[in-house]
Structures are given as C-alpha cells and as structure tokens.
Amino acid sequence: MKISRREFVGRGAALGAVAAVGLRGVAQTAAGVSIRAAGAGRGILAGCAVSVRALRGDAAYKKLLEEQVGIVVAESEFKFGPLRPSPTTYFFEDADFLAAFAEANGMKLRGHNFVWHRQLPKWFDGYVTKENAKQVLVEHIEKVGGRYAGKIHSWDVVNEAIQVSDGLPGGFRDSPWQKVLDGSGTVPEYIAVAFRTARRVDPKAMLVYNDYGIEGEDEGSAKKRAAVMGLLREMQRQKIPLDALGVQSHISAVGKDGRVPVYGAGLMAMIAEVRKMGLKVLVTEMDVNDRYVAAEIGARDAAVAQMYGSYLGTVLQDSAVIAVLTWGITDKYTWLNGEDSRTDGEKERPLPFDAAMQPTAAFAAEVRALQGAPVRG
Ligand code: G3I
C-alpha cells in the first residue's frame, strides 16, 4: 500500500498522541495501558460491543478484547430475532458463548436488548397479535432474563422507543410492540410490562432505557431529549422500575454540512436531570464516524480522536456516568462500514483500534478522557 507524505505525517501525529499517554505496542501487550484500567482507576466501567462471530473465529480480536475491556455487550446475539428462530424455540449458543467469555475473563456483561422495533424475527408479524402480545413479551423476558439472571450488569430493557417524527403523543415510536399492546397511556404498556418483568426475573441487573439522537445541540436532539425525559419521569411517577439512561453516542467527527458538531450543554443538562432523579447514565454505543472528513487517514484519525476527547471529556465530568462502551473495538468489524459509508470508497475508522488492531489516536483520547474523569464514589 502506498502512503502519501501527508498521510504518513498524519499517522505520525496519531501515533504521537498514542505515545502521549505512554503507550508502546499496547495492542501486543496485556501489560500496557488498557481502556479497562483507565476506567477502573476512576471507578468507571469501560469496554465495548462484541461480534460473537469474530470472537469465535479471530484470535487476534479475542486477544485484544482480553487485554482491553472490562465490560462487554453483544452487538446482536441477545436481541429478540437472533434468540428466537421460531415462536417456540430459542437459540442461546452465541449469547452463551459471550456470557462464558465474559465470566472467564472477569468482565461485566450487558444485556442488549429485550425490546426493540428492529431485529425482530420474520415470524413476529402474523404470530404476535393483540391477544397474545403481552404473553409473548413476558415469556421472552422470563426465559432470556432468567437464563442470565445474576450474570448481567445491566439490561437495555427497551431500546429506541422514542421517535418524535412518528407523530404519536409523548413522542413514542410507532413500533411493532406499540401496535400490539396498549399505547394509549403516558407510558406505553409494552414498556411498563418489559421493565416490571425484567426487575422480577433479574432483580440484580441495572435496568436501562437506551436511545440515540439525544446527544446533539440541534433542534431534533433537543426535542428527542425532552420526549425521553418525559418517559423517564412518567416511569418514576408510575413506579415502573428504572435505574439508568443509556446514551448511545453514535456521533460524528464532522457533519454532512462539513461542520464539527457540538455536543455539550443540552446533553449535560439532561444528564444532570437524570442524576437528580437518582438514576445513573451509561454511554452505551459510542463511535465517531468520519464519513464526511475528506482527508488522509492521519487527518481523519485526528478529527475522530478530537471528538472522542471532547465528547468523553465533557460527559465524564458528571459522576452519574458510570460506564463507557464503544460499539465495537476495532474498525475491522464496525457496523459503520455498510452500504452508505464514505463516498471515496475508503473504510471508516470510528473506533479506538484500526482494522489491523493497532491503537489509533482515538484510543489515546479515550484513555486520556477516562484517566482525567473525576473519581466515582
Ligand atoms: O447473523 C446473520 C448471519 O447469519 C447472516 O449470514 C448475515 C447476512 O446478512 O446477517 C447476519 O446478521 C446481521 C447481524 O447484524 C450480525 O452481523 C444482520 O443482517 C444485521 O442486520 C445486523 O446488524 C446489526 C444491527 O444493529 C441490526 O439492526 C448491527 O450488527 C449492529 O451493530 C446494530 O446495532 C445497533 C444497536 O443494536 C442499537 N443502536 C444502533 C446500533 C447500530 O445500528
């Protein structure tokens, strides 16, 4: 591969940033600086989402996870669709594989998720009706939550239930679950049932409401934040069990308009409100896309790292934020390299390790942000 001079200089800058936190070949040595240790020093759980397929088949990926992370979550394997090949059968092999990996390595395990409008099995439509929906939902949570009870740090009980543009009262998403269960209340029935059942089957797991698009300073984010806060407040008022808000944090180094997006005041105000309600906050799915950074790798990495530093440096100031997970650890397996990726045909570099599993400037920035956070009590 030919590397231009600017690209080379850029790479040097990225590696310089890595060196700034005292790293040398961290990907090769478990004794080096790790995301896990950087977080642990501040009482923050730090880790990532895992592809179980890669964990089974890619030894270098497995080693990187073992060296780096203190908390894991499956990218797909705990979701309703992958777990439910048919209405009466369950497929637990992949989820069990990750649970065993986490246990063997002393890592915390997150559950993602019981309820989502996506990744539902093909049989859902047609089989799930107004008559049996509650039973299907309760049985699913009993079976899955029960299987991993006591082993789960936190469950994303409901994922992405707010979609203001759907036009429903309260900003709720017109999701398949909303359609088959009573959505007329200030908390849709499927959400109440899911959280109550989750608490009953796994009282030790922290119960999380998880959503995206609530990070920015734009009008859309502000409206979505307001709707999410409305849901959380109503849940508390109705004594529906809830412990934390998950802020997914799929963010951009540069927006479509070519500007560097601003994350800060609105999000921090929300986190403060959540803290005052006695709830915790988790950064659950962070990555920084470089889709609109039209430059060489070095400059792209610098822009991504800059965003990791400023975003985490901001949100970690609030001690309600107890965990940071990136959505993947290496660019080799990021979901962002799908169809609508960069127009120049290059792969995105949104994660702390590149496709060759070498630490990038984003890694250094994440480590620095974790190390610089106030110590959690
Ligand atoms: O496992 C099958 C495999 O057997 C099959 O051969 C292959 C063919 O397409 O598909 C595989 O399943 C894919 C699965 O990822 C595992 O790789 C699905 O098609 C694909 O749709 C699925 O995508 C996941 C997506 O959620 C589902 O909507 C992404 O990996 C995952 O990163 C993404 O994660 C979501 C979070 O759950 C919620 N927040 C947003 C985030 C990104 O979209």
Side-chain angles (χ1 to χ4, degrees):
M1 187 178 64
K2 221 175 145 210
I3 301 175
S4 72
R5 205 189 94 78
R6 276 184 68 189
E7 197 172 303
F8 178 78
V9 171
R11 281 189 192 191
L15 290 173
V18 170
V21 288
L23 303 171
R24 187 176 292 167
V26 68
Q28 285 86 34
T29 163
V33 174
S34 72
I35 290 168
R36 171 178 55 226
R42 291 300 195 244
I44 301 165
L45 282 164
C48 70
V50 172
S51 155
V52 174
R53 181 191 279 216
L55 181 61
R56 285 182 188 281
D58 184 338
Y61 175 76
K62 178 169 176 277
K63 186 164 173 273
L64 184 61
L65 293 173
E66 287 166 356
E67 289 172 358
Q68 285 295 326
V69 303
I71 183 165
V72 289
V73 62
E75 224 183 305
S76 283
E77 293 78 6
F78 279 66
K79 291 173 185 170
F80 198 106
L83 284 174
R84 305 294 303 273
S86 82
T88 51
T89 54
Y90 287 77
F91 173 77
F92 283 121
E93 249 173 64
D94 288 344
D96 283 356
F97 192 84
L98 182 62
F101 173 75
E103 196 167 4
N105 289 284
M107 297 167 184
K108 302 272 186 211
L109 176 65
R110 304 201 64 242
H112 172 84
N113 49 57
F114 286 132
V115 181
W116 193 26
H117 62 285
R118 292 179 61 194
Q119 244 172 333
L120 286 166
K122 287 202 178 73
W123 55 261
F124 188 92
D125 283 334
Y127 180 84
V128 182
T129 61
K130 290 188 177 185
E131 285 66 44
N132 68 4
K134 188 171 170 185
Q135 188 196 341
V136 170
L137 180 57
V138 168
E139 275 178 15
H140 178 79
I141 296 174
E142 284 178 348
K143 184 91 173 175
V144 178
R147 185 177 185 88
Y148 301 107
K151 294 183 173 175
I152 299 284
H153 167 268
S154 47
W155 262 110
D156 291 336
V157 178
V158 174
N159 193 40
E160 305 175 4
I162 299 290
Q163 180 67 13
V164 177
S165 59
D166 280 0
L168 296 183
F172 290 107
R173 183 186 293 278
D174 193 12
S175 94
W177 288 106
Q178 173 98 6
K179 287 186 193 0
V180 286
L181 281 160
D182 181 12
S184 66
T186 46
V187 176
E189 189 183 4
Y190 79 88
I191 297 180
V193 167
F195 276 91
R196 289 199 167 110
T197 311
R199 177 68 95 224
R200 174 165 59 76
V201 303
D202 189 354
K204 287 197 179 140
M206 186 178 278
L207 304 186
V208 181
Y209 174 75
N210 192 46
D211 217 329
Y212 69 93
I214 51 177
E215 298 85 2
E217 288 299 294
D218 56 294
E219 201 188 331
S221 289
K223 278 189 180 159
K224 190 156 179 176
R225 274 196 294 271
V228 168
M229 288 310 298
L231 168 63
L232 303 190
R233 281 202 204 89
E234 267 307 294
M235 287 178 69
Q236 274 205 334
R237 199 181 64 77
Q238 297 179 32
K239 302 203 174 2
I240 297 165
L242 171 72
D243 303 308
L245 169 67
V247 181
Q248 290 189 8
S249 310
H250 294 288
I251 59 175
S252 308
V254 170
K256 202 170 186 175
D257 58 5
R259 294 187 185 170
V260 176
V262 180
Y263 302 100
L267 177 59
M268 293 312 285
M270 181 192 216
I271 291 174
E273 276 184 67
V274 169
R275 172 172 34 80
K276 286 175 199 152
M277 290 167 73
L279 306 174
K280 301 294 186 194
V281 176
L282 294 84
V283 172
T284 49
E285 305 184 15
M286 184 170 182
D287 48 27
V288 178
N289 80 70
D290 64 355
R291 193 163 302 162
Y292 303 110
V293 191
E296 302 90 337
I297 280 176
R300 284 166 50 194
D301 280 4
V304 168
Q306 172 75 28
M307 188 52 80
Y308 265 92
S310 64
Y311 184 81
L312 288 177
T314 302
V315 297
L316 289 174
Q317 287 307 309
D318 196 311
S319 58
V321 182
I322 56 155
V324 173
L325 288 94
T326 48
W327 203 240
I329 192 163
T330 155
D331 299 332
K332 187 173 181 184
Y333 298 117
T334 175
W335 72 289
L336 287 170
N337 280 324
E339 291 154 21
D340 60 345
S341 193
R342 295 178 61 88
T343 50
D344 60 9
E346 294 293 320
K347 298 283 188 202
E348 291 202 36
R349 297 171 62 87
L351 291 167
F353 288 79
D354 69 13
M357 300 196 206
Q358 297 302 307
T360 64
F363 172 74
E366 181 179 357
V367 166
R368 235 189 334 254
L370 288 164
Q371 289 175 339
V375 176
R376 273 52 178 160

